[in-house]
């Protein structure tokens, strides 16, 4: 058993592809195969969450810097039809701000291999989009909701829009974009006391709640590990109100560890990217809104597809670039090593 088997993050990265096996799949040097594509459709967001970006926002990508509709669909098609991708998740920024979102989803859902599709959103515009998303072929949604307190929501997001998020969740449930997953980040001294209430709210409405450890992906680079609410703390807080038992169902490459709540069938998940890294089982590959490939959420390097594509690259040439990026993937994010460096891009530009 080696460090990768144990989930211990290493940061070595090699671009030598001479030993890469002759397979179209997105394999890396540690035996992992990427089948889950995360597509960031836009870097803009209509919230200003304090743990993500400053109040004034960020310098957004210009229109000509972003992949257009045909370019985005082409790269998704290559990933699904040529490289073995089976699931596609659309992220942002806030993906519902992208005008051609429905067209991109419809084209993805219409591919012969028919990948499973999902969307990660802040939920503000979800109520008005849910029916269109279902018609386009979207399978399910993940919605961010860190609090049930309107005043706290306004403080955290700098916007008074909590009811819109709650309405969006209800619309997703009505339209059967299921499972409807809720993502929550707990912050010390702000909302950590709401953990049991959030879980109770989600169970009562049939949503699946997942708590996420706050990660070093803020634009301000002010993340402090000491201030982060850890997975152990989250579980301890929940255990005061609920009986939690480990879910014995196969986790596979899912980022969330799951627990049965009061014997089930309801579950709660914890995504502990910092304290319990799951790099050894990672099956993700990432495409940014401006056509950059990333092999890891915490990558400090990228491979450009937009430039070659606009210069006339063939599908075969783009495939080789994609395969090379994933072959060079590091064993892990290295957050516990002295070599870890926070990515220059924030979460809103990378995609969740």
């Amino acid at each position: 058993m080696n460090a990768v088997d144990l989930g211990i993050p290493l940061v070595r990265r090699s671009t030598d592809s001479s030993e890469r096996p002759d397979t179209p799949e997105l394999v890396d040097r540690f035996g992992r195969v990427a089948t889950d594509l995360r597509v960031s459709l836009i870097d803009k967001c209509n919230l200003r969450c304090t743990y993500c970006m400053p109040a004034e926002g960020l310098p957004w990508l210009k229109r000509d810097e972003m992949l257009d509709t045909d370019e985005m669909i082409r790269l998704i098609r290559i990933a699904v039809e040529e490289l073995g991708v089976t699931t596609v998740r659309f992220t942002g920024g806030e993906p519902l701000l992208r005008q051609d979102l429905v067209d991109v989803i419809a084209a993805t859902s219409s591919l012969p291999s028919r990948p499973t599709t999902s969307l990660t959103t802040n939920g503000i515009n979800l109520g008005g989009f849910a029916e269109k998303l279902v018609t386009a072929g979207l399978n399910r949604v993940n919605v961010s909701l860190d609090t049930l307190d309107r005043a706290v929501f306004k403080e955290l997001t700098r916007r008074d829009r909590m009811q819109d998020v709650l309405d969006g969740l209800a619309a997703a449930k009505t339209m059967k974009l299921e499972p409807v997953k809720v993502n929550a980040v707990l912050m010390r001294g702000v909302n950590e006391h709401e953990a049991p209430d959030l879980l109770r709210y989600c169970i009562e409405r049939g949503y699946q709640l997942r708590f996420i450890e706050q990660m070093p992906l803020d634009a301000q680079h002010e993340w402090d590990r000491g201030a982060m609410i850890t997975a152990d703390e989250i579980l301890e807080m929940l255990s005061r109100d609920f009986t939690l038992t480990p879910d014995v169902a196969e986790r596979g490459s899912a980022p969330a560890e799951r627990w049965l709540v009061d014997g089930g069938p309801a579950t709660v998940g914890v995504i502990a990217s910092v304290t319990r890294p799951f790099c050894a089982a990672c099956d993700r590959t990432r495409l940014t809104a401006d056509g950059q490939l990333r092999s890891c959420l915490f990558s400090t390097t990228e491979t450009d597809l937009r430039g070659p594509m606009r210069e006339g690259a063939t599908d075969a040439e783009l495939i080789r670039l994609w395969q090379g990026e994933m072959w060079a993937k590091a064993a892990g994010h290295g957050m516990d090593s002295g070599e870890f460096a926070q990515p220059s891009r924030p979460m809103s530009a990378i995609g969740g």
Side-chain angles (χ1 to χ4, degrees), residues 247-258:
D247 188 346
V248 297
E250 181 66 32
R251 178 181 176 184
S253 60
E257 291 183 81
R258 298 200 309 173

Side-chain angles (χ1 to χ4, degrees), residues 138-155:
L138 189 73
N139 296 119
R140 65 172 187 82
V141 293
N142 288 36
V143 181
S144 299
L145 179 65
D146 301 324
T147 178
L148 296 170
D149 185 311
R150 179 177 173 182
V152 175
F153 185 95
K154 185 176 180 180
E155 176 188 354

Side-chain angles (χ1 to χ4, degrees), residues 51 185-187 212-216 218 223 227-229 274:
Y51 56 83
V185 176
L186 298 180
M187 284 144 285
I212 304 176
E213 287 183 337
Q214 187 179 354
M215 295 178 283
D218 58 310
W223 178 82
M228 179 192 72
I229 305 291
V274 179

Side-chain angles (χ1 to χ4, degrees), residues 177-223:
L177 285 167
E178 296 181 300
V180 177
K181 295 186 178 181
V182 174
N183 297 336
V185 176
L186 298 180
M187 284 144 285
R188 203 174 301 281
V190 178
N191 67 336
E192 77 268 36
H193 62 283
E194 292 191 65
D197 292 337
L198 282 164
L199 180 53
R200 194 170 292 110
Y201 181 89
C202 289
I203 290 174
E204 289 173 353
R205 288 158 181 79
Y207 308 148
Q208 292 186 8
L209 177 62
R210 306 189 308 173
F211 290 101
I212 304 176
E213 287 183 337
Q214 187 179 354
M215 295 178 283
L217 291 168
D218 58 310
Q220 306 94 309
H221 285 218
E222 294 176 352
W223 178 82

Side-chain angles (χ1 to χ4, degrees), residues 69 73 76 101-112 115 136:
T69 308
I73 292 172
I76 294 172
L101 168 66
V102 172
D103 294 333
V104 174
I105 292 175
T108 302
S109 300
S110 299
L111 291 169

Side-chain angles (χ1 to χ4, degrees), residues 22-37:
D22 184 17
T23 174
E25 294 181 321
L26 294 173
V27 299
D28 66 30
R29 295 169 298 121
F30 303 97
R32 298 167 297 192
V33 180
T35 58
D36 182 341
L37 172 61

